[in-house]
Amino acid sequence: MKILLIGGTGTISTAITHSLAENGHEVYLLNRGNQNSGLPSNIRFINCDINDENAAAEKLDGMTFDAVCDFIGFVRPQLERDFRLFSGKTKQFIYISSASAYNKPVSDYVITEGTTLANPYWEYSRNKIECEDYLMKMYRENGFPVTIVRPSHTYCERSVPVGIHGRNGSWQVIKRMLEGKPVIIHGDGTSLWTMTDSRDFAKGFIGLLGNPHAIGEAFQITSEETLTWNQIYKTIADCLNAEFKPYYVSSEFLAAVSDYDLTGSLLGDKANSVVFDNTKLKRIVPEFCPSIRFADGIRNTIEYILLHKECQTEDKEFDNWCDNVICALENAKKEIIKNG
């Protein structure tokens, strides 16, 4: 197949890029060319900024594809641009949405593609819903061959997935563990969550490519291993040979005292217990069977990050914020006890 990936080097997409290229597909990456090192030699690059529509149209002139996959579309105008660029030029257009688009707060912890889409807490999720709505409208009215994919919390070897982190990624959480400092966990750590290794995600995603049953449909692709946040953080600490020192703080409090958009990422996503039902995906991609346990996948990630300094970006602002939150709550405890 001749496949164009818009992006193709991110947390979710890199494993897909590698797998497609290694299995003999004709793979094109359209991106600005900033992270293309280390990719298979048979990949073809279209170096431009997709947001410069005129430049992209010039680069793509005369080209057609079996599938086009957009990993970096976040707002409706970007998808309107994609429709103009690829209508009549691809047999399938796959849009990467987000499982955070599902209704919050959840009415049923078991999530299927039939779960309603609504998220009053997170603009990111509402934008994804608007993108989905637009694309499905183009499918119904113009026959644009859309497939919607909703990943949940997916990780690769370059970043450790955690519930709360700063603007520079999750390294500072790892550093706190290595230094024996407590790490903040939202709620009491018992809500349910799903972590998906990007290599497992790639299996399901690739099974949708060229699949006629996927056109006009939405699919979630996740692991089927359900974990508590305590289990997630404890597993990370074990991989680091560090003591697990959780400090529990309510999600509402964290959102109120942070400018890290924790209202969206916690109240609109991670603070909710969710279990994903992948029956719909398995019905048309029967070979999909996520096999990488979090304990194994995260060990691979930890090993990679500890060996690569470029993955170890410190975030002193976030570290200080964690210390301040913990200190304030400990002082409040002491004050209440004192005046009790």
Side-chain angles (χ1 to χ4, degrees), residues 313-330:
T313 303
E314 292 198 34
D315 191 339
K316 293 184 179 179
E317 178 185 293
F318 174 73
D319 197 46
N320 289 335
W321 177 80
C322 291
D323 289 339
N324 289 339
V325 167
I326 293 169
C327 181
L329 289 174
E330 288 300 303

Side-chain angles (χ1 to χ4, degrees), residues 25-295:
H25 294 282
E26 188 177 344
V27 180
Y28 292 77
L29 296 192
L30 192 159
N31 59 35
R32 288 175 292 184
N34 297 329
Q35 300 181 55
N36 290 338
S37 61
L39 293 175
S41 60
N42 59 332
I43 288 177
R44 307 177 189 194
F45 299 102
I46 302 173
N47 294 130
C48 73
D49 184 349
I50 187 66
N51 294 305
D52 185 342
E53 185 175 341
N54 291 331
E58 184 177 340
K59 292 273 190 177
L60 294 164
D61 185 43
M63 301 182 74
T64 60
F65 301 92
D66 293 305
V68 173
C69 313
D70 189 344
F71 292 90
I72 55 174
F74 300 102
V75 294
R76 174 170 169 160
Q78 293 173 323
L79 278 302
E80 293 173 346
R81 170 209 66 209
D82 287 351
F83 176 74
R84 291 190 295 268
L85 286 172
F86 300 111
S87 182
K89 297 181 180 180
T90 183
K91 297 175 184 177
Q92 184 181 28
F93 181 87
I94 298 185
Y95 173 58
I96 308 302
S97 183
S98 170
S100 70
Y102 289 122
N103 203 355
K104 304 297 185 311
V106 295
S107 56
D108 188 331
Y109 75 98
V110 178
I111 303 295
T112 73
E113 288 84 354
T115 300
T116 56
L117 304 181
N119 194 324
Y121 299 101
W122 208 359
E123 183 181 17
Y124 164 82
S125 304
R126 294 193 297 274
N127 285 336
K128 288 288 191 178
I129 294 169
E130 187 178 8
C131 290
E132 286 196 29
D133 288 344
Y134 169 75
L135 288 172
M136 293 307 293
K137 184 173 187 289
M138 293 303 98
Y139 166 70
R140 292 190 298 270
E141 297 180 1
N142 299 285
F144 192 51
V146 172
T147 299
I148 305 294
V149 171
R150 298 178 188 137
S152 186
H153 206 153
T154 306
Y155 66 96
C156 67
E157 76 279 3
R158 298 190 300 262
S159 64
V160 177
V162 295
I164 302 163
H165 59 77
R167 295 181 179 85
N168 294 329
S170 59
W171 168 250
Q172 199 65 41
V173 179
I174 306 311
K175 192 168 185 289
R176 288 180 69 87
M177 288 184 173
L178 291 170
E179 292 174 347
K181 300 176 74 172
V183 292
I184 294 175
I185 297 178
H186 58 278
D188 62 0
T190 61
S191 58
L192 303 177
W193 199 242
T194 299
M195 294 291 190
T196 306
D197 190 290
S198 61
R199 294 166 293 179
D200 272 341
F201 181 87
K203 298 173 189 175
F205 185 92
I206 291 171
L208 294 173
L209 289 169
N211 192 323
H213 300 293
I215 304 300
E217 298 287 346
F219 300 88
Q220 58 197 26
I221 305 176
T222 73
S223 170
E224 297 184 324
E225 179 186 25
T226 302
L227 302 163
T228 67
W229 282 102
N230 282 329
Q231 289 173 315
I232 291 166
Y233 276 84
K234 176 69 162 56
T235 301
I236 294 170
D238 288 346
C239 289
L240 293 166
N241 293 316
E243 184 180 354
F244 176 47
K245 292 184 176 181
Y247 193 91
Y248 301 111
V249 184
S250 80
S251 297
E252 290 81 2
F253 183 87
L254 290 170
V257 300
S258 165
D259 60 358
Y260 295 123
D261 192 21
L262 296 182
T263 297
S265 66
L266 288 184
L267 301 181
D269 197 27
K270 299 177 183 67
N272 298 269
S273 281
V274 292
V275 175
F276 293 96
D277 180 349
N278 290 312
T279 298
K280 181 178 179 180
L281 175 66
K282 288 183 171 183
R283 191 160 53 242
I284 75 162
V285 187
E287 65 271 22
F288 175 68
C289 182
S291 59
I292 302 173
R293 293 174 57 248
F294 181 66

